[in-house]
Amino acid sequence: MDTDLRLTGDVDQLWNMFQETLVVGVVKDNQTQANVILADLEKLSTNTSIDEPPQLYWNYMRKVADLGTTRDIGHGVPPRFLSRCQGFGYTTKITEVLHCAKFPESKSKTYKRTTLLMIRHFEYAPGSSDVTLVTHLSYDKLPVFEDMCRRWRGPVSVALYIAEENFSKALDFIKRSSVLHRRHNIAYHAVITRGRFYPANLLRNVALRNVVTSHVFPLDVDFMPNLRLHELLVPDLLKLATRRKALVVPAFAVKGFDATIPLILFELKVFWEEQLVTPFQPKEFAAGHQPTDYDRLRSDTEPYTVKWKRQYEPYIIVQSNVTEYDERFFGYGHDRISHILELNAQGYEFVVLPSTFVVHRNHSGTFDSNTFLNPDYQACVKSIVAQHIAAVNVAYGTRYEFVF
């Protein structure tokens, strides 16, 4: 067995492909390179006339693994997913984008990142109407994810962006966590770091593709949902979150880094009245959540429809077959805005749920957010936004104009 293989499944699966008469088998990921050689030494000692060994093409390696700097053998992918794995590479396929030559992530060649699915045991039997929280995080955010899971007891699909040297540390953190280690309804997927920028949309798609419920709730890990939100949502999902309908969960922010985050709706209203929480980014980027109509939210108790506006980026609950995120976006800026714009182009209705909320947990600036002010980076993002809008207009017959 080659030393640059990552073994994430039981090697016995390879032997199960052997026929009783086989003596030697070769596992390959292309036409010329042998990764693993299997030999039955007892048979080999009595049979020396093998001209060419049979080649075992293992679907888990060829179809699921993203073959990057290391090669992956055997993922713990449940059988129900195998029919969806044809052609999966979890790669960012980016056509040439003007003004992006300085950023390797935007090159026209396929930009690969090694991806491991279901790195821990996952088991969950959903009902006909159920929702998975879909999130993503870097290794340093695991404690924040732990806090999120204290509030959300339903199923989770999470993509962990992690360097290889931190992989075992992450598993150890989960094992030692009093919140996480007994939870089998959390599907963990690891994407190995590559490049300088955080690939948020790629991570969202990895988590989104591997859910088992009828609906999904994509949420960034720095947002804390109200306590028992999963239990509150499930009874009304089939009635509310129908096809082409997105349920908006209002987003708030607290003041300071150590501020108390409300658990229930009553607490939120008290905090809001006392100005301890505010609508998310009312000054920094009002357009992102302003269409949620927070004035109406103060008094309404029943769901209400709002109109999409340019640069709207609410956190939503939708059916799990929702359009995937555009992976041309990397780093910071317009990654979720582009997704909501495409849903609007498809005719989605946005319905606010006044009984729900998420609160942003403050954190210091990141490399990506700081880089957003760089003129070269902004020029690249502008080009990607223009390319995305043009593609949406062609696909849906819309006439969105470029706005940055």
Side-chain angles (χ1 to χ4, degrees), residues 113-338:
R113 291 181 177 89
T114 301
T115 300
L116 308 175
L117 303 178
M118 307 292 177
I119 61 175
R120 294 191 86 238
H121 175 67
F122 172 75
E123 184 177 346
Y124 186 73
S128 59
S129 174
D130 207 339
V131 57
T132 296
L133 190 150
V134 171
T135 192
H136 56 94
L137 61 143
S138 53
Y139 169 68
D140 60 301
K141 294 285 188 177
L142 275 170
V144 181
F145 177 66
E146 186 180 42
D147 288 343
M148 173 186 273
C149 290
R150 284 191 175 96
R151 293 167 172 250
W152 179 274
R153 300 299 298 171
V156 181
S157 181
V158 53
L160 177 61
Y161 193 54
I162 189 167
E164 290 195 44
E165 59 266 25
N166 291 328
F167 189 84
S168 60
K169 296 177 185 178
L171 293 178
D172 187 62
F173 178 93
I174 296 167
K175 183 179 179 180
R176 293 176 181 273
S177 167
S178 60
V179 177
L180 303 176
H181 83 286
R182 294 183 183 274
R183 292 274 298 269
H184 298 305
N185 64 346
I186 302 177
Y188 294 90
H189 319 292
V191 178
I192 306 303
T193 57
R194 184 184 180 193
R196 295 176 295 165
F197 295 94
Y198 185 83
N201 276 1
L202 173 115
L203 297 173
R204 290 184 178 111
N205 285 342
V206 169
L208 179 62
R209 291 167 183 149
N210 292 283
V211 301
V212 296
T213 56
S214 59
H215 294 75
V216 290
F217 179 25
L219 183 65
D220 293 340
V221 75
D222 292 313
F223 284 82
M224 298 293 114
N226 56 287
L227 188 65
R228 300 191 182 281
L229 179 55
H230 176 258
E231 292 86 335
L232 294 172
L233 289 171
V234 168
D236 296 323
L237 275 178
L238 288 180
K239 179 177 65 177
L240 293 175
T242 55
R243 185 174 179 269
R244 296 288 188 267
K245 186 172 287 188
L247 306 182
V248 175
V249 178
F252 292 84
V254 293
K255 297 180 178 180
F257 288 89
D258 298 320
T260 301
I261 297 178
L263 286 170
I264 59 176
L265 187 62
F266 175 78
E267 282 186 336
L268 176 78
K269 291 185 175 181
V270 172
F271 282 31
W272 194 1
E273 189 67 28
E274 296 176 355
Q275 297 185 352
L276 298 175
V277 301
T278 60
F280 186 59
Q281 291 186 325
K283 296 180 180 179
E284 299 90 340
F285 186 56
H289 293 267
Q290 194 174 54
T292 299
D293 194 348
Y294 287 88
D295 290 335
R296 183 174 180 180
L297 185 65
R298 281 185 178 274
S299 57
D300 279 24
T301 58
E302 296 297 321
Y304 60 90
T305 299
V306 294
K307 186 177 180 180
W308 174 88
K309 292 183 180 179
R310 180 73 66 172
Q311 296 187 320
Y312 193 28
E313 55 172 1
Y315 289 101
I316 59 174
I317 297 162
V318 288
Q319 291 185 350
S320 57
N321 60 354
V322 65
T323 297
E324 292 186 356
Y325 293 82
D326 189 337
E327 294 177 12
R328 286 175 292 189
F329 290 92
F330 62 93
Y332 182 85
H334 288 264
D335 46 330
R336 289 193 304 108
I337 291 174
S338 64

